[in-house]
C-alpha cells in the first residue's frame, strides 16, 4: 500500500550499486542537466572564439577548458548522487568548513582579476571562487540545523542557522558580492519558510533586507552605480547591458543564424554572464524558451519528488538546493533582459567557469541524491513512532 501511495520501490538485498542507483534516480532531472551542458558547449563554440583571439589563444581554448571542467562537474554530480543523505550531510559539513575558511582568507590571499571584487584564488592554471562551493554546503548545514530544531529537546537550530546566514552574507557583502549574498539569503529564507516559519517573521526579515539594501546603496559606490544604471530609463548602447539588449531584440523568434551573431565580438563576458544574449541572437527566442523550460523542469520535478519525502532534513535541503539553482538561472537571464540590476552571475551548466561548473555539479548531485526513490517505511510504523513520543 505504501508503494502505491508514495511511489517507492522495493530494495533488492545485495543489489549492485550501479543498477540500484540507475533504478532509483530521477532520470528526467539528469536528462535536463545533460542537455543544458550540451547547450553550454554549443554556445561556447559561438561565444568564446572572439575572446580567445583577443587573449592570444587558439579559437577553441575556452571551449576545451569548459569541456574539461564540465566533465569533472558531471563526474562529481554522478558520484555525489550515489551517496546516501547521511553521507552527503557529513561531507557537506566538512566542505562548508573548508569553504568558509577559504572565504575568510580572500582579503589576504585572493585576487580580483581587475573586476573590483576580491572573490577568487589564483592557482596559475585556473582560479577558484570559494563562494560557489560554499552555497551547496551552506544549504546542507542550514537544513541540518533546522531539522534538528524539530526534534524533541532539540537545539535552537533555526536561530543558529540565521546567525550563520548573517555572518556569511556580511562577509560576501564586504567583497563586494551582493549576488551571492542574495542567493545565500534566499536559500535560507526558502528553507526557513518550509520549516514552518511564521509569515510575520518573514515579513520582518524582508524589511531588514530592504533596509540593508538602502544602507548599501548609500555606502557602496559599486552597488549604487549598478542600481542607478538599472533605474535609468536610457540604456547606453556601449555598455554590456546595451549590447545584450540589442542582441536579444535583433535575434527575434528564430535568430540571425548560427555563427552570424555580432554581440560576441563586443561583450567581454559573452561566454559567461551574458551567454543567453548569444543564444537569443543566433538561435532566437525558441532556444531561450527551451533553456528556460529545462531549468523549470529541474526545479519543478525535484520539488515534486521532495513532497513525498518524510525526512525533514532531506526535504529542507533538497528544497533549498532546487530553489537556489532555479533562482541563479533566473537572475542571470533577468540581468540580460534588464529585469534585474547588473550582477556577475553565471548561468548554471551553460556559462563558462570552472568553479561554477564543478560546484553546480556537486549541488545537482546532492539534489539527485535527495530525490532518489527510497523506502519510506510503513505508515503504521510511523504512526506508532509518533504515538510513543
Amino acid at each position: 500500500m505504501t508503494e502505491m501511495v508514495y511511489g517507492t520501490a522495493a530494495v533488492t538485498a545485495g543489489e549492485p550499486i550501479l543498477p540500484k542507483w540507475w533504478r532509483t534516480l530521477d532520470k528526467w532531472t539528469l536528462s535536463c542537466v545533460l542537455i543544458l551542458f550540451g547547450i553550454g558547449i554549443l554556445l561556447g563554440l559561438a561565444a568564446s572564439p572572439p575572446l580567445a583571439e583577443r587573449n592570444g589563444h587558439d579559437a577553441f581554448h575556452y571551449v576545451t577548458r569548459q569541456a574539461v571542467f564540465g566533465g569533472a562537474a558531471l563526474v562529481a554530480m554522478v558520484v555525489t548522487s550515489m551517496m546516501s543523505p547521511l553521507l552527503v550531510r557529513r561531507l557537506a559539513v566538512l566542505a562548508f568548513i573548508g569553504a568558509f575558511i577559504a572565504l575568510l582568507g580572500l582579503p589576504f590571499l585572493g585576487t580580483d582579476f581587475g573586476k573590483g571584487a576580491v572573490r577568487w584564488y589564483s592557482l596559475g592554471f585556473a582560479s577558484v571562487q570559494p563562494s560557489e562551493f560554499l552555497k551547496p554546503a551552506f544549504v546542507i548545514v542550514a537544513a541540518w540545523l533546522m531539522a534538528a530544531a524539530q526534534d524533541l529537546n532539540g537545539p535552537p537550530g533555526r536561530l543558529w542557522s540565521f546567525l550563520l546566514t548573517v555572518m556569511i552574507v556580511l562577509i560576501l557583502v564586504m567583497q563586494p558580492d551582493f549576488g551571492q549574498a542574495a542567493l545565500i539569503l534566499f536559500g535560507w529564507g526558502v528553507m526557513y519558510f518550509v520549516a514552518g516559519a511564521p509569515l510575520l517573521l518573514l515579513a520582518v526579515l524582508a524589511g531588514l533586507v530592504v533596509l540593508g539594501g538602502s544602507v548599501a546603496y548609500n555606502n557602496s559606490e559599486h552597488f549604487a552605480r549598478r542600481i542607478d544604471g538599472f533605474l535609468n530609463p536610457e540604456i547606453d548602447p556601449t555598455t554590456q547591458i546595451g549590447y545584450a539588449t540589442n542582441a536579444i531584440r535583433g535575434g527575434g523568434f528564430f535568430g540571425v543564424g548560427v555563427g552570424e551573431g555580432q554581440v560576441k565580438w563586443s561583450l567581454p563576458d559573452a561566454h559567461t554572464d551574458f551567454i543567453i544574449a548569444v543564444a537569443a541572437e543566433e538561435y532566437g527566442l525558441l532556444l531561450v524558451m527551451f533553456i528556460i523550460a529545462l531549468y523549470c523542469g529541474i526545479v519543478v520535478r525535484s520539488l515534486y519528488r521532495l513532497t513525498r519525502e518524510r525526512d525533514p532534513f532531506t526535504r529542507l535541503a533538497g528544497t533549498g538546493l532546487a530553489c537556489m539553482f532555479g533562482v541563479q538561472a533566473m537572475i542571470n537571464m533577468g540581468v540580460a533582459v534588464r529585469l534585474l540590476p547588473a550582477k556577475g552571475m553565471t548561468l548554471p551548466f551553460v556559462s563558462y567557469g570552472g568553479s561554477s561548473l564543478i560546484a553546480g555539479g556537486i549541488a545537482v548531485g546532492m539534489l539527485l541524491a535527495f530525490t532518489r526513490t527510497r523506502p519510506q517505511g510503513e505508515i503504521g510504523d510511523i504512526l506508532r513512532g509518533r504515538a510513543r513520543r
Side-chain angles (χ1 to χ4, degrees), residues 15-360:
E15 184 179 6
I17 185 171
L18 285 178
K20 178 183 176 182
W21 168 78
W22 181 250
R23 178 174 53 80
T24 59
L25 186 70
D26 182 6
K27 301 175 185 62
W28 284 101
T29 296
L30 178 63
S31 299
C32 289
V33 171
L34 294 177
I35 295 172
L36 283 172
F37 177 67
I39 291 175
I41 296 295
L42 175 67
L43 295 178
L45 289 170
S48 63
L51 179 66
E53 181 180 313
R54 289 195 294 268
N55 292 339
H57 301 300
D58 63 90
F60 301 114
H61 172 78
Y62 292 106
V63 179
T64 303
R65 288 173 63 88
Q66 184 173 2
V68 172
F69 288 132
L74 294 180
V75 170
M77 178 184 69
V78 171
V79 171
T80 306
S81 67
M82 292 181 178
M83 299 178 184
S84 66
L86 179 60
L87 181 57
V88 169
R89 189 185 73 192
R90 289 174 175 173
L91 295 179
V93 171
L94 297 177
F96 175 80
I97 295 173
F100 186 74
I101 293 174
L103 198 67
L104 292 176
L106 278 176
F108 311 101
L109 302 173
T111 181
D112 62 354
F113 290 109
K115 296 186 178 182
V118 181
R119 304 173 186 172
W120 299 272
Y121 285 105
S122 177
L123 305 179
F125 61 93
S127 60
V128 177
Q129 186 175 356
S131 61
E132 291 285 357
F133 297 93
L134 182 73
K135 287 186 299 187
F138 163 78
V139 168
I140 304 303
V141 171
W144 181 31
L145 292 172
M146 292 183 190
Q150 299 181 15
D151 294 337
L152 191 63
N153 298 323
R158 293 178 182 177
L159 176 61
W160 291 354
S161 69
F162 173 71
L163 296 176
L164 186 63
T165 303
V166 171
M167 186 188 310
I168 294 172
V169 167
L170 290 177
I171 294 173
L172 291 173
V173 166
M174 290 170 62
Q175 289 184 358
D177 192 347
F178 295 100
Q180 299 288 11
L183 270 183
I184 290 288
L185 195 58
F186 172 81
W188 176 84
V190 168
M191 290 187 293
Y192 198 36
F193 174 76
V194 174
L199 291 178
L200 179 60
L201 178 58
L202 291 176
V204 171
L205 292 176
L208 292 176
V209 170
V210 174
L211 179 61
S214 300
V215 173
Y217 180 83
N218 293 320
N219 293 275
S220 172
E221 181 181 350
H222 174 82
F223 185 79
R225 184 171 61 251
R226 294 198 169 187
I227 296 298
D228 290 339
F230 172 69
L231 296 177
N232 190 348
E234 300 295 330
I235 303 177
D236 185 351
T238 62
T239 62
Q240 293 202 88
I241 293 294
Y243 288 128
T245 302
N246 291 333
I248 293 171
R249 185 184 299 115
F253 199 78
F254 296 104
V256 298
V258 180
E260 299 298 322
Q262 298 301 313
V263 71
K264 58 194 176 187
W265 296 99
S266 305
L267 282 173
D269 294 326
H271 64 316
T272 54
D273 300 348
F274 290 93
I275 195 153
I276 198 68
V278 177
E281 184 181 30
E282 296 199 1
Y283 297 92
L285 182 63
L286 282 179
L287 180 61
V288 174
M289 294 302 295
F290 182 61
I291 292 174
I292 293 174
L294 290 173
Y295 285 114
C296 290
I298 292 173
V299 174
V300 173
R301 177 76 179 177
S302 299
L303 293 178
Y304 170 73
R305 290 175 72 93
L306 288 167
T307 59
R308 302 177 298 177
E309 180 60 53
R310 293 173 181 163
D311 177 51
F313 162 72
T314 303
R315 189 168 59 247
L316 290 172
T319 300
L321 290 170
C323 292
M324 188 178 288
F325 178 83
V327 166
Q328 179 170 338
M330 183 185 73
I331 290 175
N332 176 277
M333 291 184 281
V335 168
V337 297
R338 208 166 178 260
L339 289 176
L340 294 171
K343 173 66 199 80
M345 190 170 291
T346 58
L347 190 61
F349 290 103
V350 177
S351 296
Y352 171 84
S355 295
S356 174
L357 278 169
I358 296 176

